[in-house]
Amino acid sequence: MGETGRRQEIWEDVWIPSTCGGCYSACAIKVHRVNGVVVGVEGFPESKHGPEGGLCGKGMASIQILYDFNRRNVPLRRTNPKKGLYEEGNWQDISWDQALDEIAERLKKILAEDPRKLLVAASPSPNPAGTVVMQAFGALLGTPNFFFGGAGLHCGSGAHMAAGATHSSWSHCPDWKYGNYIVFFGAGKGFGSGHGAGIMIRQAAEARARGCKTVVFDPICNFSGGKATEWIPLIPGTDGAIALAMTNVILNELNIFDAAYIKTKTNGPYLIRPDMRCLRDSETQKPLVWDIQEGKAKPYDDQTIRDYAILGKYAIEGIDCQPSFQLIRDHVKKYTPEMASEISTVPAKTIRRIATEFANAAQVGSTIVIDGKELPYRPVSAVIFRGGQGHSNSLHTCVAVDRLNQLLGAADVPGGCLGWPPNVMGYPGTGRPVIGPSAGQDGLLVAGQFAFHMPWPLEEPKLPCEMLSLQDLFRLATFSPYPPGEGREELWEKVGIDYRLEMMLSVAGNLPLAVADRDTMADFLLQIPFIVSTDIFPTEFAEGFADIVLPDTCYLETFTIIENVPTFFFSHAPGMDDWHCHIRQPVVPPQYERRYYIDVLTDLADRIGARPQLNTFFNLMARYDEEHQIKIDEKVSWNDVMDRWLKYWFGAEHDLEWFKKNGFITWKKRVEEAYFRPFINTRVPIYLEYMVDQGEKTKELAEGVGIHLNWDQYTPLVDWFPCPPHEADPKYDLYCFSYRDILHTGSSNIGNPLIDEVSHTNPYTYNIVINTDTACRKGLKDGDIIEIESYNGQKVEGPIKTMEGCHPQVIAIAGTAGKWSKGQPIAFGKGVNFDTLLFLDLEHADPTSLNLETSAKVRICKKEGK
Amino acid sequence: MRLGMVIDLARCVGCYSCTLACKQGNFLPPSIFWNRVLISERGKYPAVTKLIYPVLCNHCKDAACVRVCPTSATTRREDGIVLIDENKCVGCRYCLIACPYQQRYFYSAKARDRGYHSGQGLTAYEKLGRQVYPLQAGVVMKCTLCADRIDGGLERGLKPGIDREATPICVNACPASARYFGDLDNPYSDVSGLISAKKGYQLHPEFGTDPSVYYLSY
């Protein structure tokens, strides 16, 4: 057919501005609609909120969600009482009124009895803000019980706590624009996964093209390792030992550190008593420091201090004290590169060389002028995320890695390690919103905002617990393996929980597939009498355990702004890229009876008389002043909320209609926003004094009720601790871990037929990766089917693919695959389910941050005849 | 004029955006790829280099496919784009065997009716594609360098490789800006500049077909 013929048939050809729903990063996109059908998508060339015109593969393919035959289209009610793993369920179509009335009736009863009997749950894909919305909505209804699905447990109890306390941010990342030397510890920044995925791809590609070096510690040479200047294999869970050995080399062998930064931007000068606590002013209780000029101790914020001591020993009123920096410097001496080498298998000379290169590349003392302001210039960063942090030594490891930046002054300055811009000074036309880090208790950094719990100041551990997650006892935890964890009943008895769950409201998330040991999870879910699952596709969770299923809209049918307002905590471009606020809007109306979950929550809130709570939540999100607040009983729709919110922040002319047409608003980022550190007088805890108090109190309370953990991790001096896989029965001879594949967003897009087709062209995605020599020694070759038996007793099987770029003691599996849901025929049986190989209990969690151990020890055998 | 492409391997992250943008933009049916990403590795543990090569039709200056086509269905245009005239192609697949880069696919009549959701029918996206952008079955197909976009763009005074609407979809799609497009005959074009400054190379020059796709090493 010629061009003319085509044109005659095309009666509509438009591009709609929106944001991508391929993962939680919500990059700016333009969606192509022809004759009412979505046919394509592009990045947004005029916006830096993404890859500036490009879009990653999973974003590109994600438009196929819209027309997938396997979508949820109508509300459903389970008609057979049998629930469990691998159950399919019998389902009856019901109306929205029937579904919401039934949910409302049960919810009202529970809220009247004891709101804590409600568990809210969410996962960040496909609704990035779903976790925040659900947790806040639940809290306003009166329940402290929230579960974050697999993504939370796996990606960041330690990383978020550490980054919150140091960068006022949900995680940290390199300053790709000005950085020259970047060390990754199990992080995929720039490879299509994690926060700001598209932005990171763009910024990292520019950096590589101009010669920026990247060193990647990772058990496999796949994504970030595959493009690194240098890939360094290690045993999972040993990143912290390497970071501490690098610290030792830098401080004690090279004697390089940024003294000015340590003195003014950290608690390095704080004097530490023999009992490991800060020496404090008797009147104000402020930590004391030693003024070298006057030779006396003063409160840290005394304006007369001319120079802080960070080295030496001082006797103050008979108490021997040392600046915490001196303690740290001495403490890390035991972490010789040789010791770290024995733990990690990385050669000592490599650790020494990388430490030396890193410290020298920091150019301590250098400055750079940006927009007329002279700032410290530290073109190095050490960055950790999902891989390095996913262990039972998570918090210490994250602090050990980030502290490399702090000691060299390479934090939130040009070239250094940055937070997702946490200092927002407002749209110039209105001055809104304003949010940013500040100095709090002891002068330490308080995050401008933080999801789930504030990293500083910390709350007191307490008993009895209110939260089934035990987070009132473990105050350093962003997430927790509980409530579903093993031994929960016994633990809840011990911590004095006198209620049990009666209902679960979940938006996305696929708990039996994507968290850990599926039997433990199933056992937990079976105890909840009534479960509501809101999702786009049928999942193992909904099929096996839900009582009512609600069909969510996909991003192409959705109106929202939460993910892209400048206060959203992980989607904006770090560094000097301008601010952008994009709208997500329906490219086609919601098909069938699908409804956006926030519209559903609004409807539900009205049915249960919770409008005041809902409007309180809306007011909190938009940070309205008193004059603009939504009245608590006002029946506003979600679209009204967005309209008012946008006008409040960006002026009356920039209403929802304006955004629908224009897609986004942009304004210049200020140097103070991109690099807040020199401008805001706060300090970073490089010495974790809080561990002393938290440890003592948590231990006393926990031991008092018979909970025994390795309390050694509550130490203010950062250490490396072995993880359960390091100490497992040697008959399990291999480590097994999962990695984020560049095309996959958790388990949410594995059923996409285009993603599936292309995944088959990748040699590793659907296979178990094993080192070539290791396979040979075990008599295995490519394509052999092996059975993996975990040290937790669970078994999975799948084909192997040998890889030279894989640590010989490790096998790797792309997560999250191995689906068994009958409702997703394309995804069914593809890949291998790694998560079930993990323990889900307190013994396999970080005793401080409760981060779950996400590597396993396994043994493998060939499945004969397969 | 000789239109060609430069792929910067330092920038490419192997995200398959080119593959998927091409598939969607051209409504390609299952199992047919005009853009692929080849993944492998080189070296022995631990001195390993991962190899990521995005590949597509090389639009060779001395193309084997042009030489062997018995019906002159495959021709090389004046701007260097190698195209298949689907009305002349008889589906003999000689070109498919002759192409040393294995960039050609045979689109069977059976494949035409097959959608991505086996046994569930065609999606609205697939139906519209077949209606408005029909691909002829029973012939060989491959990357066209988005010739229709280039031609349409040129008609409107746009410049290939500079203006997005006159540039191949895969170039626009790349989130790492790893792809450059332009006139290899013009020494002042971006592509020529990159090839000379960064020692751009062709894959398998020993095949002797003089590809118009160059790579910058990492």
Side-chain angles (χ1 to χ4, degrees), chain A residues 499-636:
Chain A
Y499 65 93
R500 292 294 180 268
L501 291 174
E502 289 194 8
M503 181 169 178
M504 177 178 184
L505 279 180
S506 175
V507 173
N510 196 353
L511 307 188
L513 180 88
V515 177
D517 178 7
R518 64 177 70 143
D519 291 327
T520 302
M521 181 59 81
D523 185 51
F524 163 70
L525 293 171
L526 287 172
Q527 287 180 343
I528 305 174
F530 188 70
I531 294 179
V532 180
S533 163
T534 299
D535 216 324
I536 291 177
F537 290 104
T539 60
E540 287 71 10
F541 169 57
E543 287 184 357
F545 303 94
D547 295 276
I548 285 187
V549 171
L550 302 177
D552 202 1
T553 51
C554 77
Y555 72 105
L556 295 165
E557 306 160 294
T558 296
F559 243 136
T560 196
I561 55 172
I562 313 180
E563 288 82 4
N564 293 95
V565 293
T567 51
F568 195 67
F569 52 107
F570 59 66
S571 59
H572 289 272
M576 287 299 291
D577 284 356
D578 288 342
W579 290 108
H580 292 80
C581 178
H582 283 258
I583 188 171
R584 174 176 293 180
Q585 62 177 320
V587 181
V588 294
Q591 312 282 294
Y592 304 95
E593 292 183 38
R594 302 166 188 161
R595 290 177 73 184
Y596 181 45
Y597 78 102
I598 295 186
D599 288 324
V600 176
L601 282 187
T602 307
D603 190 335
L604 185 62
D606 284 335
R607 286 172 200 250
I608 60 171
R611 176 53 81 161
Q613 290 92 323
L614 185 73
N615 286 0
T616 302
F617 171 61
F618 291 150
N619 285 331
L620 284 171
M621 279 202 302
R623 298 168 177 270
Y624 290 121
D625 59 22
E626 212 165 298
E627 182 192 337
H628 290 85
Q629 294 225 336
I630 299 168
K631 293 183 187 63
I632 57 163
D633 53 355
E634 207 176 331
K635 293 276 171 88
V636 285

Side-chain angles (χ1 to χ4, degrees), chain A residues 427-443:
Chain A
Y427 173 68
T430 61
R432 298 185 187 115
V434 175
I435 188 168
S438 58
Q441 186 187 326
D442 295 350

Side-chain angles (χ1 to χ4, degrees), chain A residues 467-485:
Chain A
M467 301 165 85
L468 297 171
S469 61
L470 316 179
Q471 279 166 283
D472 4 30
L473 183 56
F474 296 89
R475 291 298 194 183
L476 306 177
T478 309
F479 309 116
S480 161
Y482 294 86

Side-chain angles (χ1 to χ4, degrees), chain A residues 1 3 6 9-10 34-35 37-39 41-43 45 51 53-58 60-61 63-64 67-70 190-191 201-202 205-206 208-209 214 221-223 226-229 231 233 742-743 753-755 757-758 761-764 771 773 802-808 825-826, chain B residues 8-25 27-33 37 39-52 86 116-118 120-126 128-129 131-134 148-149 155 164 172-177 198 218:
Chain A
M1 188 182 296
E3 278 294 313
R6 285 184 193 179
E9 288 188 40
I10 295 174
V34 171
N35 294 2
V37 178
V38 172
V39 296
V41 60
E42 279 192 358
L55 194 65
C56 78
K58 58 188 166 191
M60 201 56 81
I63 61 166
Q64 301 295 336
Y67 300 113
D68 197 308
F69 294 109
N70 306 305
F191 294 86
I201 291 180
R202 164 172 61 82
E206 294 288 343
R208 283 195 303 276
T214 52
C221 181
N222 205 350
F223 295 106
K227 278 285 170 180
T229 317
W231 166 65
I742 203 162
L743 265 179
L754 291 189
I755 296 281
E757 181 182 36
V758 176
T761 72
N762 185 300
Y764 309 120
N771 174 274
D773 283 349
T802 57
M803 190 186 194
E804 289 289 344
C806 179
H807 193 289
I826 289 170
Chain B
D8 185 348
L9 298 177
R11 287 174 168 273
C12 173
V13 292
C15 77
Y16 298 96
S17 180
C18 44
T19 305
L20 288 155
C22 174
K23 287 216 71 146
Q24 280 182 172
F27 295 91
L28 300 185
S31 307
I32 289 180
F33 295 93
V37 180
I39 307 281
S40 67
E41 58 178 349
R42 185 172 55 209
K44 287 289 287 179
Y45 178 88
V48 180
T49 305
K50 186 184 180 190
L51 303 175
I52 305 173
E86 57 197 23
Y116 268 100
H117 291 269
S118 181
Q120 293 181 297
L122 296 177
T123 64
Y125 160 86
E126 289 171 317
L128 186 83
Q131 179 198 344
V132 182
Y133 306 93
D148 51 347
R149 288 174 69 87
E155 269 177 34
R164 286 171 70 89
N172 292 343
C174 181
S177 300
K198 296 193 170 181
Y218 181 42

Side-chain angles (χ1 to χ4, degrees), chain B residues 185-202:
Chain B
D185 281 346
N186 176 358
Y188 302 107
S189 67
D190 284 353
V191 283
S192 299
L194 283 165
I195 291 165
S196 76
K198 296 193 170 181
K199 299 193 176 75
Y201 61 93
Q202 299 156 312

Side-chain angles (χ1 to χ4, degrees), chain B residues 77-187:
Chain B
R77 304 199 317 189
E78 279 187 10
D79 61 6
I81 300 179
V82 175
L83 282 184
I84 302 166
D85 183 337
E86 57 197 23
N87 295 318
K88 287 188 184 167
C89 177
V90 292
C92 75
R93 287 167 264 182
Y94 194 175
C95 56
L96 207 137
I97 298 159
C99 173
Y101 297 97
Q102 301 176 26
Q103 292 298 344
R104 295 186 153 233
Y105 289 82
F106 180 68
Y107 181 34
S108 70
K110 218 159 104 189
R112 185 177 48 195
D113 304 323
R114 209 171 57 224
Y116 268 100
H117 291 269
S118 181
Q120 293 181 297
L122 296 177
T123 64
Y125 160 86
E126 289 171 317
K127 282 181 187 163
L128 186 83
R130 281 159 173 73
Q131 179 198 344
V132 182
Y133 306 93
L135 299 162
Q136 192 168 313
V139 300
V140 169
M141 52 167 55
K142 67 163 193 75
C143 158
T144 64
L145 271 188
C146 291
D148 51 347
R149 288 174 69 87
I150 292 166
D151 295 346
L154 286 170
E155 269 177 34
R156 286 180 286 149
L158 303 175
K159 291 181 181 152
I162 293 169
D163 296 305
R164 286 171 70 89
E165 288 176 48
T167 299
I169 292 171
C170 60
V171 177
N172 292 343
C174 181
S177 300
R179 290 181 177 227
Y180 301 85
F181 187 68
D183 183 5
L184 297 171
D185 281 346
N186 176 358

